[in-house]
Amino acid sequence: MKKVGNHNSISGILAVGLALMLNFSLTSSAQTAPAAAPAPVAAAPAAAPAGGGDPVAGKALFNANCAACHKLDDKATGPALRGVAERRDKEWLYKWIHNSSEVIKSGDPTAVALFNEYNKAVMTAFPQLSNADIDNIIAYTSEPKPAPVKPAAGGGEGGAKVESGVSNNVIFGALAVVMAILVVMLYTVNRTLRKIAQNNGVEIPESTSGMSVWKAFAKNQFLVFVTSVFLILSAGYLFYGWSMQVGVDQGYAPVQPIHYSHRVHAGINKIDCKYCHSSARVSKNAGIPSLNVCMNCHKNISAVSDTTNTADYGKPFYDGEIQKLYDAVGWDKTAQKYTGVTKPVKWVRIHNLPDFAYFNHSQHVTVAGIECQTCHGPVETYEIMQQFSPLTMGWCIDCHRKTDVKMEGNDYYKKIHDELSKKYGVTKLTAAQMGGLECGKCHY
């Protein structure tokens, strides 16, 4: 019998080696256990509630009545209140909370000193709070300050990140090795088959050159013509699509001098868009909110809560951005007053229409009743504000063709709406049917 191959060839050795490597890799991955979670840090024992009050109920009362002007650990409109029971007599606190003005008028030296120290800001009277309610508030303010949570090792500024047991680089490396082994095996199999064919007297025809196919294609004028037309049309289509995107900044999200999170303000805190962009109701432009609008809230909010953290941004980052706001307006959060030293904030414009295009926010927001998210997208989910819509002429025209005119409570359009409804034979008119496609509406 003829010997047609080497049974101890390299292909057999490689196949066995590949099987062993894959088996070892799978076994190692299966045996790799996820890192054990760090043991929870035991909470510090709470101090005994002052006067037997309930700190849980006190927290709710504090947030409802006191949090607008007071913080537990920092000065605000009023003093920090943590440990106030150790600094003031309880009977004095009852009188002060029920009606601070009367205590000041009585000439009480402590009350007068507080009144003068905090710029003579009059504290709201709370006669509706009972002594038991005040005891609950005092119990809440008497709780010890919680220890700061230390980020886990390897975690970023926004918190620890969970990583898989096997690195992606290891996986990609293993795949590359497998592919290389397969290539070697195919080459070896090809050599073995050629040896078998030669030993059996089988002739292997040499591969023919591909030039004959191209020569045949070049001689066929019809195929050349069709291919040329296809390539010209494809190139024209691609060029048209590229040229139509010139000047379209959809997805543009520049870095601003102060990081403003719409996710935190419009999403978590449910602040209405038109509270900050108030001019959108009455003018052409939505406007950039004045920093004084920011200070309406941030005069008393100098730090964010721990729940504001995300994978990318942590509490230190947000607190630092609030400090940038204070530096810009010249606010001293310790002294609770303005210093008079201000710095301009150079915001980067995101939405920018051409000068020849006219757009009126009040026409769309107040008259048409269009929601901000229709054009600006789900801003309540944006950590960094971006341009949501393309703001092209075709996009505007398409909206005018699909959007019905809002007629409820709108006497301005009633007469023309009735006349045009009869003309077009419809019950509701679109903005296009009301003249929304006239060139002079947007170009002047």
Side-chain angles (χ1 to χ4, degrees):
M1 182 181 291
K2 292 183 179 181
K3 185 177 181 181
V4 296
N6 183 8
H7 297 287
N8 294 323
S9 64
I10 191 172
S11 60
I13 298 174
L14 290 174
V16 175
L18 173 63
L20 290 175
M21 186 190 73
L22 291 176
N23 182 52
F24 176 75
S25 299
L26 293 174
T27 305
S28 300
S29 299
Q31 291 178 351
T32 302
V41 180
D54 181 4
V56 176
K59 180 178 180 179
L61 290 169
F62 180 91
N63 291 335
N65 300 281
C66 314
C69 299
H70 293 278
K71 298 180 181 179
L72 288 178
D73 301 300
D74 295 312
K75 287 184 177 181
T77 304
L81 294 186
R82 190 181 299 278
V84 66
E86 300 175 359
R87 303 190 301 269
R88 302 283 183 264
D89 179 72
K90 184 179 291 187
E91 292 299 326
W92 185 91
L93 287 174
Y94 290 156
K95 296 178 182 178
W96 176 261
I97 294 173
H98 284 147
N99 194 333
S100 62
S101 297
E102 287 188 358
V103 181
I104 295 171
K105 290 179 181 178
S106 67
D108 183 273
T110 302
V112 173
L114 273 176
F115 183 64
N116 294 328
E117 180 181 355
Y118 288 90
N119 302 319
K120 298 184 177 180
V122 179
M123 176 178 165
T124 304
F126 295 97
Q128 74 276 14
L129 294 179
S130 64
N131 289 350
D133 292 335
I134 298 176
D135 286 340
N136 292 336
I137 296 175
I138 293 175
Y140 171 62
T141 60
S142 298
E143 290 188 318
K145 184 177 180 180
V149 180
K150 296 182 179 179
E157 187 180 25
K161 296 182 178 179
V162 180
E163 297 183 354
S164 59
V166 182
S167 171
N168 290 335
N169 294 332
V170 175
I171 296 176
F172 291 145
L175 291 176
V177 171
V178 171
M179 293 299 296
I181 293 175
L182 290 177
V183 170
V184 174
M185 289 179 64
L186 290 174
Y187 174 75
T188 306
V189 169
N190 182 48
R191 287 186 59 188
T192 303
L193 291 177
R194 284 180 176 274
K195 288 182 180 180
I196 294 173
Q198 289 175 0
N199 291 335
N200 287 277
V202 178
E203 294 183 3
I204 302 175
E206 296 295 332
S207 60
T208 57
S209 174
M211 292 300 295
S212 58
V213 177
W214 291 106
K215 290 180 179 179
F217 174 79
K219 291 179 179 180
N220 192 321
Q221 296 181 355
F222 176 75
L223 287 178
V224 172
F225 174 76
V226 172
T227 304
S228 300
V229 172
F230 174 76
L231 291 176
I232 292 173
L233 292 177
S234 299
Y237 175 79
L238 293 174
F239 176 76
Y240 174 78
W242 172 82
S243 61
M244 290 302 293
Q245 296 303 312
V246 174
V248 177
D249 294 327
Q250 190 174 13
Y252 177 52
V255 176
Q256 301 290 356
I258 298 178
H259 181 90
Y260 180 89
S261 172
H262 280 79
R263 178 188 66 85
V264 173
H265 293 81
I268 297 176
N269 295 320
K270 308 295 182 185
I271 298 177
D272 184 18
C273 299
K274 294 181 282 292
Y275 174 77
C276 300
H277 299 281
S278 58
S279 58
R281 298 189 185 97
V282 295
S283 77
K284 172 184 174 183
N285 299 312
I288 299 176
S290 167
L291 296 183
N292 290 335
V293 176
C294 304
M295 291 301 294
N296 287 341
C297 299
H298 282 287
K299 188 175 180 181
N300 292 320
I301 302 175
S302 59
V304 299
S305 65
D306 295 331
T307 58
T308 309
N309 291 350
T310 66
D312 298 319
Y313 303 98
K315 177 178 170 59
F317 172 81
Y318 286 118
D319 291 347
E321 297 304 302
I322 295 176
Q323 185 59 48
K324 289 182 182 179
L325 169 64
Y326 290 164
D327 293 339
V329 300
W331 174 255
D332 187 342
K333 65 179 181 180
T334 303
Q336 288 290 299
K337 64 180 181 179
Y338 289 99
T339 62
V341 179
T342 61
K343 299 178 182 178
V345 178
K346 299 179 180 180
W347 299 107
V348 180
R349 184 165 186 164
I350 301 175
H351 305 86
N352 192 17
L353 290 178
D355 292 339
F356 54 78
Y358 176 82
F359 179 85
N360 192 308
H361 272 85
S362 63
Q363 178 75 16
H364 292 78
V365 174
T366 302
V367 179
I370 302 295
E371 295 293 334
C372 303
Q373 286 82 352
T374 303
C375 301
H376 295 290
V379 294
E380 66 277 4
T381 65
Y382 290 167
E383 183 65 36
I384 299 176
M385 187 60 191
Q386 61 176 298
Q387 180 175 319
F388 173 78
S389 303
L391 303 184
T392 60
M393 179 176 174
W395 174 76
C396 295
I397 289 176
D398 185 62
C399 181
H400 282 189
R401 285 173 174 166
K402 294 179 180 179
T403 305
D404 293 330
V405 176
K406 183 181 178 182
M407 297 303 303
E408 295 78 8
N410 192 344
D411 294 334
Y412 180 82
Y413 286 123
K414 187 175 186 339
K415 181 178 180 181
I416 188 172
H417 182 276
D418 293 341
E419 294 177 356
L420 290 177
S421 297
K422 294 177 182 178
K423 176 181 178 180
Y424 294 114
V426 295
T427 56
K428 286 190 175 181
L429 293 173
T430 63
Q433 292 170 328
M434 291 281 285
L437 299 186
E438 295 178 4
C439 300
K441 292 287 186 180
C442 305
H443 302 291
Y444 55 93

